[in-house]
């Protein structure tokens, strides 16, 4: 295939950020003393299960709207993430890979490393936002990780920005 080193590095960042987010979503279930549904096998279904849990009356907190906005934004990134991480990058393949408005098919188009890296950055922002929301809306000590410095009010617009 004809990928550049920056493209490989950016694809790796997306893989790391999405894998870390998937692990952290599982940790959030544990922090809330809830079991993740067995059917929630991949990142998208895990996020949907967390979104449903946080919207249910069984988990009282004051941030339902904030969590819903953050998780909805992350769910929109999942298909793009899957296209980058699991897409067919071989120049001999007929399978198209889409990320936003760019389609990579053979040698007819290229996906720039900066576009892939921007997706990784969005995933990282989303991870920080979820962590911040848990710190903001659940009792002290619920989440043993350090609270992000940026507020949810700063992080959400960055996640939602085009």
């Amino acid at each position: 295939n004809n990928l550049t080193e920056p493209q490989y590095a950016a694809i790796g960042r997306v893989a790391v950020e999405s894998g870390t987010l998937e692990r952290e979503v599982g940790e959030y279930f544990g922090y809330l003393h809830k079991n993740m549904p067995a059917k929630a096998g991949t990142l998208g279904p895990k996020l949907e299960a967390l979104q449903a849990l946080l919207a249910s009356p069984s988990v009282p907190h004051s941030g339902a709207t904030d969590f819903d906005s953050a998780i909805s934004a992350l769910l929109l990134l999942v298909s793009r993430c899957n296209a980058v991480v699991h897409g067919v990058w071989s120049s001999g393949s007929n399978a198209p890979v889409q990320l936003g408005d760019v389609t990579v098919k053979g040698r007819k188009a290229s996906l720039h490393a900066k576009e892939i890296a921007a997706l990784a950055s969005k995933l990282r922002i989303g991870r920080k936002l979820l962590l911040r929301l848990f710190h903001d809306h659940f009792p002290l000590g619920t989440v043993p990780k350090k609270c992000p410095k940026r507020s949810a009010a700063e992080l959400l617009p960055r996640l939602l920005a085009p």
Side-chain angles (χ1 to χ4, degrees):
N1 59 35
N2 299 320
L3 293 175
T4 65
E5 288 303 316
Q7 286 172 319
Y8 276 119
I11 292 166
R13 283 188 61 209
V14 171
V16 168
E17 291 296 340
S18 64
T20 303
L21 174 60
E22 188 169 350
R23 186 199 72 237
E24 289 172 348
V25 168
E27 291 172 356
Y28 292 134
F29 275 90
Y31 299 150
L32 298 173
H33 306 288
K34 303 289 183 181
N35 292 322
M36 189 178 323
K39 64 179 180 163
T42 59
L43 180 55
K46 286 178 182 177
L47 282 167
E48 290 168 348
L50 181 62
Q51 188 173 37
L53 177 65
L54 291 168
S56 76
S58 68
V59 180
H61 62 88
S62 61
T65 303
D66 293 336
F67 277 110
D68 188 62
S69 296
I71 294 172
S72 293
L74 283 166
L75 284 166
L76 292 175
L77 297 177
V78 169
S79 64
R80 294 173 64 204
C81 173
N82 288 340
V84 169
V85 175
H86 304 293
V88 179
W89 291 97
S90 164
S91 60
S93 170
N94 290 327
V97 176
Q98 290 188 325
L99 182 69
D101 298 325
V102 179
T103 300
V104 178
K105 186 172 182 181
R107 296 173 191 241
K108 294 181 183 175
S110 65
L111 187 59
H112 300 285
K114 67 181 180 182
E115 295 171 276
I116 303 168
L119 175 59
S121 293
K122 290 275 191 184
L123 289 168
R124 185 171 184 78
I125 291 166
R127 289 181 40 237
K128 287 182 177 187
L129 177 57
L130 278 181
L131 179 57
R132 181 61 195 230
L133 290 172
F134 267 88
H135 276 281
D136 288 352
H137 296 290
F138 286 96
L140 185 64
T142 301
V143 179
K145 293 183 176 185
K146 184 178 174 185
C147 184
K149 291 179 182 177
R150 293 190 189 268
S151 70
E154 292 174 279
L155 292 167
L156 183 59
R158 292 179 66 199
L159 179 60
L160 297 176

